[in-house]
Amino acid sequence: MGRRLAGPLLLGLGLLGPGLLGAPVRADEALVTAQGANVLAIVDLEAGTVAAQVPVDGAPAGIAVSPDRRTAFVTRPEGPSLATIDLATRTVTGTLALPGGPLGIAVNPKSGAVYVADWYGSRIFVVSPDGSRLDTEIQVGASPSGIAVTPDGATILVANREGNSVSVVDVATAREIQKIPVGEHPFGITLDPEGARAYTANVTSNDVSVIDIAGRYELGRVTTGERPYVVALAGPRGFVTDQYSGTVTVFNLKTLTNVAAIEVGDHPEGIAASRDGRTLTVANWGSNTLSVIDAETLKVTGEIKVPDGPRAFGDFLR
């Protein structure tokens, strides 16, 4: 599990939409939860520098962003609580106490509801869109970690690390409707833009399970490096952080075959694709850096120093 409760983190992510026609295109920002420093680091990816640091104590781990991209929600496993951050003012505007071990997090793209996984309990919390109120909880599998929501906002998928399964949750009834068996200790879960397939990074079986969401079954697996944690998608390829190998495994989304292994920093965890799908950003927990990868050439094109213990667990680019 790593040095802390929130040690190995995952990533479920998608591509962000382009800016409005005629509006200036701003540089991508990386919103990096840095556990050792107890901050949310806001990184200007174009400049390659940390633009701001927002203090967030409690070993900040998971992160998700509201549908309008103006608000960030950060889990604090050692709080335990959820912090709400205004990204315009770069300040914490609220804290909601949550029981257990809040870790994985996702936001419903339609309703804005916030879903938080309790690592210590077989449940996820449903929090109001403004992050101020715990509305209900939903029973899932053992040690839920990564969470993803289908584009229509109707279904939640939860990676159950100790249950070796993915829970399928119906949003309308707030109930688990099925568990899908996957590899050993699934942590990160990622959906494709169409909501047709899900990908789980299986920590101890060193592979990725590919799930047919409509059929609710595992349709294949891809071998990775040692201790995979998160999957990102860009163009025709999938990219997986391999924590113990210090690499990113690249695979073909159509054939589910390996393409390459890219060397990055020490203990890579969070990974996300840029808005245009041309680059991947990787958070290297052990080396306190972000690696930037060209999605076409599969080369590391840059490295950015960030505060101690970067996790970037969840939706962290905007």
Side-chain angles (χ1 to χ4, degrees):
M1 204 18 224
R3 287 171 277 181
R4 301 187 180 215
L5 159 71
L9 296 187
L10 79 135
L11 230 35
L13 32 128
L15 302 182
L16 305 185
L20 297 175
L21 185 64
V25 178
R26 54 170 295 164
D28 280 338
E29 285 182 341
L31 309 173
V32 180
T33 50
Q35 282 195 312
N38 279 306
V39 300
L40 176 68
I42 300 177
V43 180
D44 184 322
L45 293 175
E46 185 175 41
T49 59
V50 176
Q53 296 185 44
V54 182
V56 184
D57 61 6
I63 181 165
V65 183
S66 61
D68 64 9
R69 317 305 290 174
R70 296 177 179 175
T71 304
F73 302 98
V74 173
T75 56
R76 301 168 60 239
E78 295 180 9
S81 65
L82 176 71
T84 301
I85 298 169
D86 184 307
L87 293 175
T89 62
R90 297 173 174 173
T91 57
V92 175
T93 58
T95 299
L96 176 67
L98 293 173
L103 182 58
I105 185 170
V107 171
N108 190 302
K110 297 299 184 181
S111 69
V114 183
Y115 307 117
V116 179
D118 177 9
W119 177 264
Y120 289 151
S122 300
R123 60 185 174 178
I124 61 171
F125 302 115
V126 181
V127 176
S128 60
D130 63 359
S132 67
R133 184 184 68 250
L134 173 58
D135 288 336
T136 190
E137 60 183 61
I138 302 170
Q139 295 301 304
V140 291
S143 291
S145 51
I147 305 176
V149 188
T150 55
D152 61 7
T155 306
I156 307 167
L157 292 102
V158 184
N160 304 311
R161 191 182 190 275
E162 298 303 316
N164 296 334
S165 65
V166 168
S167 290
V168 181
V169 175
D170 178 65
V171 170
T173 61
R175 294 179 63 88
E176 178 191 67
I177 55 178
Q178 188 170 334
K179 283 188 178 74
I180 303 170
V182 292
E184 296 175 13
H185 291 179
F187 199 82
I189 184 165
T190 302
L191 306 188
D192 65 18
E194 297 75 31
R197 289 185 176 184
Y199 301 82
T200 65
N202 304 318
V203 176
T204 57
S205 54
N206 295 327
D207 53 27
V208 168
S209 290
V210 185
I211 296 170
D212 181 294
I213 296 176
R216 300 178 191 165
Y217 67 94
E218 181 188 54
L219 60 83
R221 291 193 193 178
V222 181
T223 301
T224 66
E226 192 175 0
R227 299 288 174 131
Y229 277 88
V230 184
V231 183
L233 310 176
R237 296 166 175 159
F239 297 78
V240 191
T241 50
D242 306 313
Q243 190 189 47
Y244 284 12
S245 300
T247 58
V248 170
T249 294
V250 186
F251 66 94
N252 185 297
L253 294 176
K254 183 176 181 179
T255 63
L256 303 183
T257 54
N258 290 81
V259 174
I262 305 168
E263 292 189 3
V264 289
D266 180 31
H267 282 65
E269 295 193 352
I271 184 171
S274 62
R275 291 179 291 181
D276 58 12
R278 294 180 180 178
T279 62
L280 286 302
T281 301
V282 180
N284 302 305
W285 179 41
S287 52
N288 297 331
T289 59
L290 300 182
S291 294
V292 180
I293 297 172
D294 185 298
E296 182 62 31
T297 66
L298 306 183
K299 303 293 185 183
V300 174
T301 60
E303 186 175 88
I304 303 169
K305 291 294 295 182
V306 294
D308 183 48
R311 296 295 188 179
F313 171 34
D315 177 14
F316 72 97
L317 295 186
R318 75 174 194 129

